């Protein structure tokens, strides 16, 4: 499986059976999607920063406009268990704050099973997980976790400890912000050291590291 980061919470998972694109907001990838294609799209929450005069196909809840390159994709934007093109996707209700959505709203964390590995995309989650939510999520191999948002670096590291993945992919929510860069540095400190930057993550089930390993990706959105 190949994992690519496009900025903020937008990632693409390319597996043998399908390509899954998480959070391809037009504010990140542009109205045309910069050529991002995929069979399945997940939105963790509605678009906060919609482009003016947006046109195009909308997500199921009508709150987000897809980039035109993903018009034909199957779109998921809420909790539930789904099977699309032999890919199992589980949406779990979570929140963008630590007040059950009272401050920043609710969202969905998605677990995607591709190439026999389970990847969780945590969106802009703002809280730790209950035992019930952890049971809904199940075992995780790769965790994409937001950094620089409502979740402090310490809480983000605690969340990773709860999920116990083999690979951690931090998603800086604003690469150009000094505050986010500081949060990322503190997150790396919590995780035990700063990783080298790489263009994308390519991994197989047999190639997963024995210990939890953090991987920092370059943003493809700047290409």
């Amino acid at each position: 499986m190949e994992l690519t980061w496009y900025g903020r919470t937008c990632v693409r998972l390319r597996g043998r059976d399908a390509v899954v694109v998480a959070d391809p907001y037009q504010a990140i990838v542009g109205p045309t999607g910069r050529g991002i294609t995929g069979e399945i799209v997940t939105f963790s929450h509605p678009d906060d920063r919609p482009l003016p005069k947006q046109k195009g196909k909308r997500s199921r809840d009508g709150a987000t406009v897809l980039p035109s390159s993903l018009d034909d994709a199957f779109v998921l934007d809420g909790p539930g268990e789904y099977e699309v093109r032999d890919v199992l996707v589980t949406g779990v209700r979570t929140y963008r704050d630590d007040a059950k959505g009272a401050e920043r709203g609710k969202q969905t964390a998605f677990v995607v099973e591709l190439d026999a590995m389970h990847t969780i995309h945590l969106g802009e989650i703002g809280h730790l997980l209950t035992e019930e939510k952890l049971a809904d999520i199940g075992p995780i191999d790769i965790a994409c976790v937001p950094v620089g948002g409502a979740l402090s670096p310490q809480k983000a590291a605690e969340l990773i400890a709860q999920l116990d993945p083999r690979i951690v992919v931090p998603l800086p929510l604003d690469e150009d912000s000094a505050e986010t860069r500081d949060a990322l540095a503190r997150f790396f400190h919590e995780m035990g050291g700063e990783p080298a930057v790489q263009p994308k993550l390519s991994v197989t089930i047999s190639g997963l590291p024995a210990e939890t390993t953090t991987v920092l990706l370059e943003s493809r959105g700047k290409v």
Side-chain angles (χ1 to χ4, degrees):
M1 188 188 74
E2 183 181 281
L3 189 154
T4 312
W5 177 52
Y6 284 84
R8 277 171 53 196
T9 55
C10 181
V11 300
R12 182 185 66 184
L13 308 174
R14 180 184 294 279
R16 285 189 299 270
D17 296 318
V19 177
V20 181
V21 185
D23 288 356
Y25 301 113
Q26 288 194 6
I28 301 174
V29 301
T32 64
R34 294 201 182 106
I36 301 175
T37 56
E39 288 79 40
I40 304 167
V41 166
T42 64
F43 284 115
S44 59
H45 59 84
D47 192 355
D48 285 343
R49 312 176 201 177
L51 298 180
K53 299 179 181 177
Q54 287 189 114
K55 293 179 182 178
K57 179 182 173 182
R58 289 187 173 268
S59 57
R60 288 184 173 194
D61 63 9
T64 304
V65 179
L66 273 74
S68 59
S69 66
L70 292 164
D71 275 353
D72 296 328
F74 191 88
V75 180
L76 302 172
D77 56 16
E81 294 184 0
Y82 312 92
E83 184 171 354
V84 187
R85 294 179 64 100
D86 296 325
V87 177
L88 295 175
V89 183
T90 303
V92 178
R93 167 64 67 224
T94 46
Y95 305 94
R96 298 174 68 193
D97 52 43
D98 203 12
K100 293 205 168 176
E103 296 165 9
R104 301 187 68 227
K106 58 189 179 182
Q107 65 144 40
T108 306
F110 284 97
V111 180
V112 178
E113 185 178 344
L114 265 181
D115 296 1
M117 291 176 286
H118 294 84
T119 301
I120 188 166
H121 180 271
L122 290 158
E124 290 191 18
I125 194 168
H127 58 90
L128 297 177
L129 295 163
T130 62
E131 290 297 325
E132 181 184 5
K133 296 293 184 189
L134 287 167
D136 290 342
I137 289 166
I140 292 296
D141 299 301
I142 302 168
C144 300
V145 61
V147 176
L151 207 61
S152 71
Q154 292 79 11
K155 290 286 186 186
E158 286 182 49
L159 179 59
I160 293 302
Q162 286 187 307
L163 292 166
D164 193 26
R166 302 287 191 89
I167 296 176
V168 180
V169 180
L171 307 176
L173 298 182
D174 183 355
E175 291 175 272
D176 299 321
S177 156
E179 192 174 325
T180 299
R181 288 195 296 270
D182 178 61
L184 196 59
R186 286 189 287 137
F187 176 71
F188 291 146
H189 177 74
E190 294 285 338
M191 297 301 296
E194 183 166 348
V197 181
Q198 56 192 67
K200 60 189 175 185
L201 171 66
S202 296
V203 65
T204 61
I205 185 78
S206 61
L208 287 168
E211 301 288 332
T212 299
T213 302
T214 306
V215 173
L216 181 61
L217 299 179
E218 292 175 2
S219 171
R220 286 290 297 275
K222 291 186 174 179
V223 174

